[in-house]
Amino acid sequence: TLTSPNGKEREIELDLLGDYQRHNLVTVMAAVDKLSACSRFTITESAASQALRNVTRNTGLKGRWQILSQKPLIVCDTGHNPHGFKHVANQIARQKYNKLYVVLGMVNDKDIRGVLALLPQDATYYFTKASVNRALDEHEVQRLANEAGLKGDTYPTVKEAFEAANANAQKDDFIFVGGSTFVVADLLTIHDNFRNSF
């Protein structure tokens, strides 16, 4: 149930599973209410509900708490700053799993220490670098992560980091991939190319 800024309650079904997306729904529905109030626009409750149930298909938006596999649970999320990653970290904490493996890479112009401070210390980390110029070197990600009490090895590509995590994970484990939109994009390219291996 979503309560709009005008106090109106709605039952909303959203095909994006991340907590952050539910947070954004308040803004989306406020915009729908404003547009509906204009004489030039007609947006029915039914049309809005149908659009929200099909956001991924309608927009191609990927990487927002996107579940790629159930056994082991493999999830990627494009949260990349402390505000957004706080929601991701809370969602990770609510998952049930035996062991947690985190494939993590970041870009060099974000609040890296702020994100790292939110991550669980009881995970095994696979520090990596996305295939973009802005990507922070995996050894630097590891150094900063070690300062935050996070431990793991480095891998030069997202593919290698993910394959190492996937090789170690058992069916009751959880692999999270994130830290950067670009890391998620690299993973989804792997997933699209090798869908049957997930």
Side-chain angles (χ1 to χ4, degrees):
T1 301
L2 171 71
T3 303
S4 297
N6 64 6
K8 185 176 182 180
E9 286 194 2
R10 295 177 163 110
E11 288 292 326
I12 302 288
E13 183 182 336
L14 180 65
D15 75 341
L16 297 171
L17 302 177
D19 286 358
Y20 198 79
Q21 288 63 251
R22 289 175 183 13
H23 176 75
N24 286 338
L25 267 178
V26 174
T27 304
V28 169
M29 294 313 295
V32 167
D33 289 343
K34 290 282 187 194
L35 290 170
S36 295
C38 297
S39 60
R40 294 174 43 208
F41 294 97
T42 303
I43 303 173
T44 66
E45 286 283 328
S46 174
S49 294
Q50 183 177 359
L52 290 168
R53 279 194 306 270
N54 296 289
V55 170
T56 303
R57 188 181 71 196
N58 292 343
T59 66
L61 181 64
K62 295 182 180 182
R64 288 296 194 175
W65 200 262
Q66 185 173 345
I67 298 172
L68 303 176
S69 171
Q70 291 290 343
K71 292 190 179 291
L73 179 60
I74 301 171
V75 173
C76 62
D77 195 283
T78 59
H80 55 268
N81 59 42
H83 177 71
F85 216 89
K86 182 177 180 183
H87 294 280
V88 172
N90 288 338
Q91 222 167 337
I92 290 172
R94 290 197 310 269
Q95 302 305 305
K96 290 185 175 19
Y97 53 81
N98 184 31
K99 291 183 180 178
L100 174 61
Y101 301 93
V102 178
V103 176
L104 185 72
M106 305 194 78
V107 293
N108 56 22
D109 58 354
K110 299 296 180 187
D111 180 0
I112 296 161
R113 285 185 171 92
V115 169
L116 294 172
L118 297 169
L119 289 165
Q121 294 188 353
D122 62 347
T124 301
Y125 286 84
Y126 299 78
F127 303 110
T128 190
K129 181 172 84 174
S131 58
V132 295
N133 290 336
R134 290 173 48 210
L136 189 63
D137 181 81
E138 67 273 17
H139 299 286
E140 182 63 8
V141 177
Q142 181 189 44
R143 184 186 72 76
L144 294 169
N146 287 169
E147 289 178 6
L150 311 177
K151 303 296 181 198
D153 293 324
T154 60
Y155 300 84
T157 67
V158 173
K159 181 178 187 293
E160 290 170 87
F162 175 75
E163 286 176 348
N166 198 34
N168 289 323
Q170 302 299 310
K171 66 178 183 176
D172 294 328
D173 294 339
F174 177 25
I175 300 173
F176 175 80
V177 181
S180 164
T181 301
F182 303 107
V183 168
V184 171
D186 284 358
L187 175 71
L188 292 178
T189 298
I190 297 164
H191 179 255
D192 290 345
N193 290 338
F194 303 101
R195 189 174 299 274
N196 292 332
S197 68
F198 279 72

